[in-house]
Amino acid sequence: MTTRGRALEPDEQMFATACACMYAARSLHGRIELANDIRGVTSALFTNLAFSVELLLKCILEINALPRSRQHRLLDLYHLLPKPEQEILSHRFTQAIESSWFYQNIKGAGIPVIDDIEIALNEANNAFVRFRYSYEFDRPNTPGLTEIVRVLIARVIEIRPDFEDLSKL
């Protein structure tokens, strides 16, 4: 992958691809009402979001000069991050959930909300595979996947401000 005539480093490639997957998911979200096959569109949407989360976690590992992982389980990737990084992401995820439109509108209605990033990642652990092959599996629960992507993109840009241009298509 290249940009402006130079080859991208692996962490840059991961980040750019993760952002592209997020934009693809956002585009699909806008088409759900128009779809003849809602299950197919939502499978594609969540496949893209789950892959984005995987790549963003791997990108943060790469930025922190940690060994590259071939792991695909989201919670396992999260646990490879340094503890201070986990704490930052955990706090920001909780903030993102609690300030979300969804949370604000169901607060006090007795509907459970997952505001713990580890629980959310565990629920979505195999979402990439399960949504890709949704005809073979029950669909996974994916609470907060969009918020996880947003938190991870913001964190990568905070650590590496030079990546911000890579987040734009």
Side-chain angles (χ1 to χ4, degrees):
M1 185 182 283
T2 63
T3 184
R4 296 190 180 104
R6 73 170 180 84
L8 294 178
E9 296 296 324
D11 54 352
E12 293 173 308
Q13 289 178 26
M14 288 177 211
F15 184 70
T17 303
C19 290
C21 288
M22 184 268 304
Y23 285 119
R26 186 183 294 169
S27 174
L28 288 166
H29 185 268
R31 304 197 52 81
I32 287 176
E33 299 90 31
L34 306 172
N36 290 328
D37 176 16
I38 291 175
R39 185 178 174 100
V41 173
T42 57
S43 289
L45 185 155
F46 285 109
T47 297
N48 277 287
L49 283 177
F51 189 48
S52 183
V53 171
E54 179 182 333
L55 288 174
L56 289 163
L57 289 168
K58 288 180 176 184
C59 179
I60 294 172
L61 288 168
E62 188 86 15
I63 289 169
N64 281 283
L66 294 168
R68 194 171 292 160
S69 175
R70 292 192 157 293
Q71 180 62 253
H72 300 289
R73 294 176 52 84
L74 302 179
L75 185 59
D76 293 343
L77 287 167
Y78 177 79
H79 285 148
L80 293 174
L81 297 172
K83 285 287 182 211
E85 193 66 47
Q86 291 178 33
E87 290 169 6
I88 290 167
L89 295 172
S90 176
H91 176 72
R92 291 187 182 168
F93 176 73
T94 300
Q95 285 181 317
I97 290 294
E98 290 177 354
S99 65
S100 71
W101 176 91
F102 178 75
Y103 181 83
Q104 295 301 318
N105 285 282
I106 66 160
K107 191 169 42 175
I111 299 171
V113 175
I114 294 176
D115 62 357
D116 181 307
I117 195 168
E118 290 197 42
I119 294 171
L121 288 169
N122 190 49
E123 290 285 327
N125 235 349
N126 292 313
F128 179 62
V129 171
R130 294 181 73 97
F131 274 111
R132 252 185 10 206
Y133 301 107
S134 62
Y135 53 88
E136 294 178 0
F137 299 104
D138 291 332
R139 296 165 59 141
N141 189 12
T142 54
L145 207 51
T146 302
E147 286 78 8
I148 294 171
V149 170
R150 289 183 184 138
V151 165
L152 292 173
I153 287 173
R155 181 62 180 149
V156 169
I157 292 172
E158 181 181 8
I159 299 167
R160 292 288 308 266
D162 56 311
F163 279 24
E164 187 166 8
D165 284 347
L166 297 171
S167 71
K168 299 172 183 147
L169 292 180

